[in-house]
Amino acid sequence: MKNNIILIGYMGAGKSTVGKKLAKVRAYEFIDTDQWIEKQENRSIPEIFAKEGEEYFRCLETECIRRLLKEEKGKVISVGGGLPVREENRELLKQLGTVIYLKATPETIYERVKEDTNRPLLQTENPKERIRTMMEEREPFYQQASHIVLSVEEKSVDQLISEIPMLLD
Ligand code: S3P
């Protein structure tokens, strides 16, 4: 029977890129919680943060995984970087399927997201420092929420995808 594969990790770790390709090679459906929320709300994440605040967005994340729990399995699900911070979400994720934590260093993340304006939490004066402290705070949550930890350092998307089936067996 097909299970779900869930990808968690900090912004820029590659969850969506890896997830999309992984879904394709396994012929699974691909779901991205950020995209699900944007569609549901019919507006962008920066707009939701600006108009409703972070807490409202976090409630939508919980609603999204609750809905997915009721659906058929066989999906690759990429979740927003902050979703595993809520304890309730960590429990729901574990029920939803096999959770893989894509782990990167703050340096790698910074290089990947420095030009990006689509992530409201990184629109600060010192994004480098913000990334470092947030990653440190979130590390225990990512560890608790995951079944498998997979380092993304110096690996291509294809390399990561080729490692995942072995981890699932
Ligand atoms: C967030 C990560 C983003 C998005 C929102 C908040 C976070 O998703 O959900 O901007 O708190 O880390 P990605 O991890 O897909 O960038």
Side-chain angles (χ1 to χ4, degrees), residues 9-12 15-16 32-34 45 49 54 57-58 61 78-83 118-121 134 138 142:
Y10 198 72
M11 293 176 252
K15 293 163 293 179
S16 303
D32 182 304
T33 60
D34 288 336
I45 307 254
F49 266 74
E54 184 174 348
F57 174 76
R58 298 298 172 201
E61 289 190 314
S78 155
V79 314
L83 187 145
N118 250 335
R119 286 161 164 132
L121 296 177
M134 271 177 93
R138 288 180 176 182
Y142 291 147

Side-chain angles (χ1 to χ4, degrees), residues 145-156:
S146 57
H147 297 102
I148 297 160
V149 181
L150 180 58
S151 167
V152 303
E153 291 303 316
E154 284 165 39
K155 288 180 198 158
S156 66

Side-chain angles (χ1 to χ4, degrees), residues 97-114:
T98 303
V99 186
I100 304 178
Y101 166 25
L102 297 184
K103 187 173 160 83
T105 61
E107 294 73 27
T108 298
I109 296 290
Y110 177 70
E111 284 310 312
R112 291 187 186 181
V113 301
K114 63 183 179 192

Side-chain angles (χ1 to χ4, degrees), residues 16 29-45 48 56-71 75-80 83:
S16 303
E29 188 186 342
F30 174 71
I31 303 275
D32 182 304
T33 60
D34 288 336
Q35 277 174 11
W36 186 92
I37 289 169
E38 287 185 326
K39 199 166 164 212
Q40 175 92 352
E41 289 281 302
N42 201 21
R43 50 188 170 164
S44 70
I45 307 254
I48 301 170
Y56 178 87
F57 174 76
R58 298 298 172 201
C59 292
L60 293 172
E61 289 190 314
T62 303
E63 188 191 327
C64 175
I65 41 176
R66 284 203 175 282
R67 294 257 191 111
L68 289 171
L69 265 170
K70 295 193 186 126
E71 292 183 8
K75 295 182 174 75
V76 175
I77 304 164
S78 155
V79 314
L83 187 145

